[in-house]
């Protein structure tokens, strides 16, 4: 079984940092991430550069990422203006931030939930009028779907009312997002089961954070509900500026190891993923990068789910040598 790991570090990760990674370093990092086998990367955000100077080079980054064969290039755009920029830059897919929490929505996008949904309707009309080759996919992961750091509990029925409206407006996939790290596995399994039941093929993936250490447990719960797309960021980079204390996304390296260990094929080579991590570490000296597998290596006898996938073996050999020596 194939699982899509969608790498969000170059957008979700970098935009949460105060400093800016150079365009050159971003391009080397993205190329290395793609080289590891990650088939989809969220490479930037088409937000006004005054609000997010870290993302001011989104056009240049998208143009370079588009030249990587086979890579699905995703970018965030918060409104019509951003969507028009993203389309002009040539993205394959656009993700639009939309929250189930009124206060989080206003804090994050300066729109009420209702205004944000109306904007999505206008965006879908604009997208539908584009010629086929320029028509990007549109996906939304509903923020605060599992709870909000400002409002607390968010009624589940409200999340599904929004999800159904978005699907009816023409959003290609609607997933659920836990940028605050509030989700627990029982809730994740229940909500993704209902999402898939109500939205069918428009049910999207899981965007999970590890703020309270529940990230990978929530992944397993989502797998049990049939989810096959997971966002993650290298080194767990990224939090949420409106969620105080939020530390970051689930770690790509640990997610790939988890999935492969469970016999689920990601197509990702862990050794090459570590090479990408080196570029990230060199480009952001002093930045904390998370991950248990990067610290410990893989277990002795670890095998990828798909034995026919072409992968390097240096990490496996190093881990075995280390354990033999011990
Ligand atoms: Zn995130």
């Amino acid at each position: 079984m194939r699982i899509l790991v969608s790498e969000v570090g170059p957008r979700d990760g970098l935009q949460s940092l105060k400093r800016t990674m150079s365009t050159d370093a971003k391009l080397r990092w993205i190329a290395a991430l793609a080289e590891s086998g990650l088939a989809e990367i969220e490479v930037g955000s088409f937000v006004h550069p005054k609000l997010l100077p870290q993302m001011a080079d989104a056009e240049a980054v998208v143009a370079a990422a588009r030249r990587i064969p086979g890579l699905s290039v995703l970018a965030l755009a918060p409104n019509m203006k951003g969507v028009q920029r993203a389309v002009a830059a040539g993205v394959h897919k656009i993700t639009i931030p939309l929250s189930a929490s009124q206060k989080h929505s206003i804090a994050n996008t300066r729109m009420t939930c209702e205004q944000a949904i109306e904007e999505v309707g206008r965006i879908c009309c604009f997208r539908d009028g584009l010629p086929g080759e320029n028509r990007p996919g549109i996906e939304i992961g509903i923020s605060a779907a599992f709870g909000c750091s400002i409002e607390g509990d968010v009624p589940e029925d409200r999340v599904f009312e929004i999800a159904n409206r978005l699907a009816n407006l023409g959003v290609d996939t609607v997933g659920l997002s836990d940028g605050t790290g509030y989700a627990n596995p029982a809730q994740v399994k229940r909500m993704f089961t209902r999402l898939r039941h109500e939205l069918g093929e428009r049910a999207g993936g899981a965007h999970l954070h590890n703020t309270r250490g529940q990230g990978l447990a929530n992944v397993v719960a989502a797998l049990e509900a049939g989810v096959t797309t997971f966002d993650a960021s290298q080194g767990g980079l990224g939090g949420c500026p409106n969620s105080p204390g939020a530390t970051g996304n689930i770690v790509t390296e640990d997610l790939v190891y988890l999935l492969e260990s469970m016999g689920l094929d990601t197509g990702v080579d862990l050794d090459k993923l570590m090479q990408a991590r080196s570029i990230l570490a060199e480009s952001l000296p002093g930045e904390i990068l998370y991950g248990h597998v990067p610290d410990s290596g893989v277990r002795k006898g670890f095998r990828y789910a798909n034995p026919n996938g072409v992968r390097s073996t240096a990490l496996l050999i190093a881990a075995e040598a280390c354990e033999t020596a011990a």
Side-chain angles (χ1 to χ4, degrees):
M1 185 173 177
R2 190 69 185 251
I3 301 289
L4 176 66
V5 175
S6 182
E7 170 64 43
V8 301
R11 196 284 298 172
D12 190 329
L14 293 183
Q15 85 169 43
S16 72
L17 304 182
K18 293 221 162 34
R19 55 180 159 171
T20 300
M21 190 191 265
S22 71
T23 307
D24 177 60
K26 281 185 192 179
L27 298 185
R28 282 187 291 116
W29 182 35
I30 290 167
L33 289 167
E35 176 64 25
S36 78
L38 289 160
E40 180 173 284
I41 303 179
E42 191 177 341
V43 300
S45 179
F46 288 90
V47 174
H48 196 287
K50 270 191 186 152
L51 292 174
L52 275 182
Q54 307 94 312
M55 297 284 124
D57 57 1
E59 273 88 357
V61 174
V62 167
R66 283 266 314 195
R67 290 196 286 274
I68 300 173
L71 180 68
S72 172
V73 178
L74 182 68
L76 180 142
N79 49 35
M80 179 67 91
K81 203 162 194 173
V83 167
Q84 288 168 337
R85 281 177 62 203
V87 168
V91 298
H92 298 116
K93 277 190 193 173
I94 296 172
T95 181
I96 303 170
L98 193 136
S99 181
S101 150
Q102 190 73 275
K103 287 180 180 163
H104 179 256
S105 180
I106 293 166
N108 200 33
T109 63
R110 288 188 272 175
M111 286 187 272
T112 64
C113 297
E114 196 56 40
Q115 287 169 332
I117 293 168
E118 285 167 11
E119 184 76 350
V120 169
R122 285 188 286 274
I123 287 166
C124 287
C125 284
F126 167 73
R127 185 271 319 262
D128 293 345
L130 293 168
E133 67 275 17
N134 297 337
R135 201 179 297 155
I138 292 183
E139 61 180 50
I140 292 180
I142 299 177
S143 302
F146 302 94
C148 170
S149 57
I150 308 171
E151 289 190 6
D153 288 343
V154 172
E156 291 183 10
D157 286 344
R158 171 161 178 72
V159 175
F160 290 102
E161 183 208 319
I162 293 172
N164 279 292
R165 283 182 67 187
L166 295 173
N168 290 335
L169 286 170
V171 175
D172 294 297
T173 63
V174 182
L176 302 176
S177 174
D178 182 33
T180 54
Y182 273 31
N184 68 70
Q187 185 188 23
V188 166
K189 188 172 178 180
R190 179 174 69 244
M191 291 185 68
F192 273 105
T193 300
R194 181 170 168 188
L195 186 76
R196 287 167 57 79
H197 177 72
E198 294 195 12
L199 265 57
E201 61 184 17
R202 288 190 193 260
H207 182 99
L208 300 166
H209 277 225
N210 198 38
T211 319
R212 293 175 179 80
Q214 314 299 300
L216 292 189
N218 287 334
V219 168
V220 175
L223 286 169
E224 288 174 354
V227 174
T228 56
T229 299
F230 291 90
D231 292 354
S233 79
Q234 180 145 61
L237 211 59
C240 174
N242 299 311
S243 301
T247 50
N249 294 281
I250 55 170
V251 176
T252 308
E253 296 89 326
D254 292 351
L255 175 67
V256 168
Y257 178 75
L258 171 84
L259 294 169
E260 294 286 344
S261 299
M262 292 175 73
L264 300 166
D265 181 20
T266 64
V268 178
D269 180 317
L270 282 165
D271 281 315
K272 291 183 177 173
L273 201 51
M274 293 305 294
Q275 290 167 20
R277 186 178 170 104
S278 304
I279 294 173
L280 174 61
E282 285 160 18
S283 308
L284 295 173
E287 202 62 48
I288 297 172
L289 298 182
Y290 299 95
H292 294 287
V293 173
D295 287 344
S296 333
V298 298
R299 71 182 278 274
K300 191 172 183 177
F302 170 82
R303 280 177 202 84
Y304 287 106
N306 175 10
N308 299 322
V310 181
R311 292 179 170 108
S312 54
T313 52
L315 189 73
L316 312 187
I317 292 164
E320 290 194 8
C322 177
E323 289 190 12
T324 306

